[in-house]
Amino acid sequence: MTAFVIAAALYAFSMSITPGPTNIIMMTTGVNHGFRNTLPFATGAATGFTVLVFVVALGFGSMLSENKQVMEMMGYAGAVMISYMGYKIAFSEGNMKTEETERPSFMQGAILQWVNPKSWIACIAGVGAFNLSESLERLLYYIVPYMIVGYACVLAWGYAGSKISGFLKSDNNLKYFNYVMGGSLVIVALYLAFMDK
């Protein structure tokens, strides 16, 4: 079972460290609000993804993934949510006054995993490749390392954001950074909604 846990951890690392909506939001939150304020969103994202894996492994995911219309609607809902968060980031105040600007919440992190196509791909591929529907024990041996490694990867993006905030002390620089990161999220959302079909 050790090899299985190592494989799960490596899979979690490769899926969680790569750029995506969750990590872009984490980095931007780290820049604008500091590392400590990334924790609710990161915890929500880890929790939401863990619940998603359980649901998919127990069979509900295969029912959803076989229904093309439901998956398409979820894709559009995800694109809308990602676009909204991108808009909020792009047009947030270009200053470091954390108490005055909105921070992504636990609930937003959890919901994002359910409407984010990258999360569904990672989840369905993992459940299939690791044969997680076979037993609850197997599922737990997968979930625990995935949650630990995935959570650490997401937090790394928030930490990186908090460290580069020193370079963005100028309100104008921070404003441009927010435009770029928010715009990136909107581009990702448009790609997911219209191009990745």
Side-chain angles (χ1 to χ4, degrees):
M1 207 41 107
T2 304
F4 180 87
V5 170
I6 292 169
L10 288 173
Y11 179 69
F13 181 79
S14 66
M15 294 307 290
S16 304
I17 200 68
T18 52
T22 302
N23 291 337
I24 291 172
I25 292 167
M26 281 294 292
M27 177 173 266
T28 307
T29 304
V31 165
N32 287 284
H33 304 290
F35 177 69
R36 197 167 58 103
N37 288 304
T38 66
L39 295 176
F41 182 80
T43 305
T47 303
F49 187 79
T50 301
V51 173
L52 182 62
V53 171
F54 269 106
V55 167
V56 169
L58 296 174
F60 182 65
S62 62
M63 287 174 13
L64 277 179
S65 63
E66 287 167 12
N67 188 331
K68 192 173 180 194
Q69 286 179 320
V70 171
M71 290 304 288
E72 214 169 274
M73 285 177 62
M74 286 180 69
Y76 289 128
V80 167
M81 183 176 181
I82 293 166
S83 294
Y84 171 75
M85 295 186 91
Y87 170 81
K88 295 287 281 181
I89 287 168
F91 295 102
S92 64
E93 288 296 317
N95 60 50
M96 296 284 189
K97 295 173 186 166
T98 61
E99 69 279 358
E100 293 180 10
T101 53
E102 188 180 333
R103 297 178 291 277
S105 67
F106 174 92
M107 214 51 188
Q108 287 173 323
I111 291 169
L112 181 60
Q113 304 318 299
W114 283 75
V115 295
N116 180 0
K118 182 186 173 192
S119 297
W120 276 91
I121 290 165
C123 186
I124 291 170
V127 167
F130 286 87
N131 209 9
L132 301 181
S133 301
E134 192 176 281
S135 73
L136 184 59
E137 180 188 23
R138 195 172 180 84
L139 179 57
L140 290 174
Y141 273 111
Y142 175 86
I143 283 285
V144 172
Y146 200 113
M147 188 165 184
I148 293 167
V149 172
Y151 191 57
C153 289
V154 170
L155 287 175
W157 280 81
Y159 184 74
S162 72
K163 288 296 155 193
I164 65 167
S165 66
F167 298 110
L168 300 169
K169 287 213 187 285
S170 153
D171 286 353
N172 276 340
N173 290 347
L174 182 60
K175 193 177 284 186
Y176 293 133
F177 174 82
N178 287 341
Y179 285 151
V180 169
M181 297 307 275
S184 299
L185 274 178
V186 173
I187 290 167
V188 167
L190 291 172
Y191 171 78
L192 293 172
F194 301 110
M195 309 297 277
D196 193 29
K197 299 294 178 201

